[in-house]
Amino acid sequence: MKLSGETLTRALALFREADDRAGEADALTELSLVRYTTGDSLLAADELLSAIGIYRETGNRLGEAEALDSLGTVRHLTGDCAGSIEAFGSALAVFRELDDRHGEAKAVKNLGFVLYLTGDYPAARSHLDSALALFVELGDQLGEANTVKNIGVTLQLTGDQLAATAALTRSLDLYRELGNRMGQVNALNCLAVVRYLTGAPSAARTAAAEALELARALPYRVGEADSLRELGFVHHLTGDHETAVNTLRQALAIFTETGDRLGRIEALNRLGRVYLDGENTPRNAMAVYEEARGLARETGSRHEEARAAEGIGRCLARIADDTGAAVAELEWALGAYRALGVPEQERVADFLATVTARPGL
């Protein structure tokens, strides 16, 4: 970040005292970056909305576009994917009006990012590929790194772990070359997921632990919570379920503190797995899966909603005498996974077959 929160707050007060509207809007935009980096996304959104109003009042179209783009980022952090798409779309329209190729590339990349959060992976990949071509053409290595990282996550979510590893490793190398520590945190956390999905929990732990150290040094609270979430799940996979629960609860506390609902949903679904498969406490698992599903529906995160429904179905299969309710949840999850085109459909189809084969159904 360019300036500290204290410095920007003092500058904002001076601009207001001098009735310098342009300076006030710029200070609000810069201050919002500090806010959401350190976890206060709600205040960041308020500051950006104020800045956008001033930019429109003063006719500063470029400032308006930049603030709209930042607002899209803040909106997705608070789980408002629809609001995020609207903000990024508005920013893109202004950047194109101004023939600002760099701004266009950034907004297209950000639209791709929020689209994969909603589970629209084909549209996300189309936007990300377009953004990558623009960043490469412009020679913007940071934009390239951010886009390649998002492509890597999309590949991971849709089941191509080999290609995901290559993309995430490339983004990490670029972040290190640029000295961008926040980017390194994000890439390392994403690599941790790929590592444990491909049966390498030790490598996953190393990646997440490095990310956690970097995030705490910055500080980068959302990145810290992401690291704790992945470390917690690695503890579960290696059999230390008590530490897994404690670490995931630390992550949940930070996600709640920072208002990051999407991060909280992912952590809840991970915690459900620990309670169900690690501690064999399906009623505890059911409670966190139900919370995850409620939040997923509010935010429009279809993939996480499907994961929560699958988890609820698995819980019901263990605790209910009549497994009809379990079958209904599992069938819904299966349909959602198939619509998303993600590999979880095979896992839930196999489990559903074992449930429906039980006597009495």
Side-chain angles (χ1 to χ4, degrees):
M1 59 197 71
K2 295 178 184 177
L3 295 170
S4 72
E6 278 187 21
T7 302
L8 287 166
T9 300
R10 288 197 298 270
L12 178 61
L14 289 170
F15 285 130
R16 284 173 169 166
E17 183 180 332
D19 197 26
D20 183 340
R21 298 289 277 164
E24 179 182 354
D26 289 343
L28 283 165
T29 302
E30 288 289 335
L31 191 54
S32 73
L33 174 61
V34 177
R35 303 292 192 208
Y36 73 70
T37 300
T38 56
D40 196 344
S41 296
L42 295 176
L43 181 54
D46 288 341
E47 289 166 342
L48 285 166
L49 287 168
S50 296
I52 290 165
I54 297 171
Y55 285 132
R56 286 174 175 165
E57 173 191 324
T58 57
N60 185 340
R61 296 287 279 162
L62 181 58
E64 177 187 349
E66 294 285 0
L68 281 165
D69 192 73
S70 294
L71 181 62
T73 297
V74 173
R75 291 293 192 220
H76 91 69
L77 285 172
T78 58
D80 182 4
C81 290
S84 180
I85 290 170
E86 180 182 359
F88 286 139
S90 297
L92 177 59
V94 178
F95 283 130
R96 284 177 170 163
E97 174 192 321
L98 298 172
D99 196 25
D100 184 329
R101 299 276 283 166
H102 184 268
E104 178 182 355
K106 184 170 59 171
V108 172
K109 180 266 293 180
N110 286 336
L111 268 173
F113 173 70
V114 75
L115 284 166
Y116 88 59
L117 292 177
T118 68
D120 192 348
Y121 300 126
R125 185 60 192 272
S126 176
H127 279 77
L128 291 170
D129 286 345
S130 296
L132 180 59
L134 280 169
F135 282 127
V136 171
E137 175 189 328
L138 294 165
D140 182 339
Q141 284 192 304
L142 179 57
E144 179 183 351
N146 290 334
T147 308
V148 172
K149 187 266 295 181
N150 291 333
I151 289 172
V153 176
T154 304
L155 289 164
Q156 178 263 302
L157 289 166
T158 54
D160 191 343
Q161 306 307 335
L162 186 62
T165 300
L168 291 168
T169 301
R170 177 181 165 198
S171 71
L172 179 60
D173 289 343
L174 283 168
Y175 286 132
R176 285 174 170 162
E177 182 182 328
L178 294 166
N180 187 299
R181 291 187 295 165
M182 186 181 294
Q184 291 175 53
V185 171
N186 294 331
L188 284 163
N189 282 328
C190 295
L191 268 173
V193 176
V194 175
R195 296 302 187 203
Y196 66 63
L197 287 175
T198 54
S202 179
R205 180 184 285 109
T206 298
E210 183 182 348
L212 180 61
E213 183 178 356
L214 283 168
R216 284 175 169 168
L218 279 169
Y220 176 27
R221 293 288 279 164
V222 171
E224 178 183 356
D226 287 337
S227 303
L228 288 166
R229 181 187 61 220
E230 305 315 338
L231 276 173
F233 200 65
V234 171
H235 287 308
H236 161 62
L237 293 173
T238 54
D240 189 351
H241 309 303
E242 182 179 354
T243 302
V245 170
N246 291 336
T247 307
L248 284 164
R249 291 210 167 276
Q250 289 178 56
L252 284 165
I254 297 174
F255 285 132
T256 300
E257 173 194 329
T258 58
D260 184 345
R261 292 195 294 167
L262 290 169
R264 182 172 178 82
I265 296 164
E266 292 180 21
L268 286 166
N269 277 332
R270 302 276 206 287
L271 184 58
R273 285 277 302 277
V274 178
Y275 280 142
L276 187 62
D277 298 334
E279 297 201 333
N280 194 26
T281 53
R283 294 189 185 279
N284 289 344
M286 176 82 84
V288 295
Y289 278 132
E290 286 178 338
E291 182 182 351
R293 178 160 65 180
L295 286 170
R297 286 173 173 170
E298 290 176 14
T299 60
S301 178
R302 292 184 293 156
H303 202 154
E304 292 302 325
E305 183 181 356
R307 286 172 171 162
E310 179 191 353
I312 290 169
R314 289 177 179 270
C315 291
L316 288 168
R318 290 197 194 179
I319 63 180
D321 293 331
D322 180 1
T323 54
V327 170
E329 294 286 357
L330 293 165
E331 286 180 340
W332 188 94
L334 178 58
Y337 286 145
R338 284 175 173 163
L340 292 166
V342 293
E344 288 98 326
Q345 62 184 288
E346 297 174 8
R347 178 184 69 204
V348 75
D350 289 343
F351 185 71
L352 185 58
T354 67
V355 174
T356 54
R358 291 177 182 175
L361 285 180

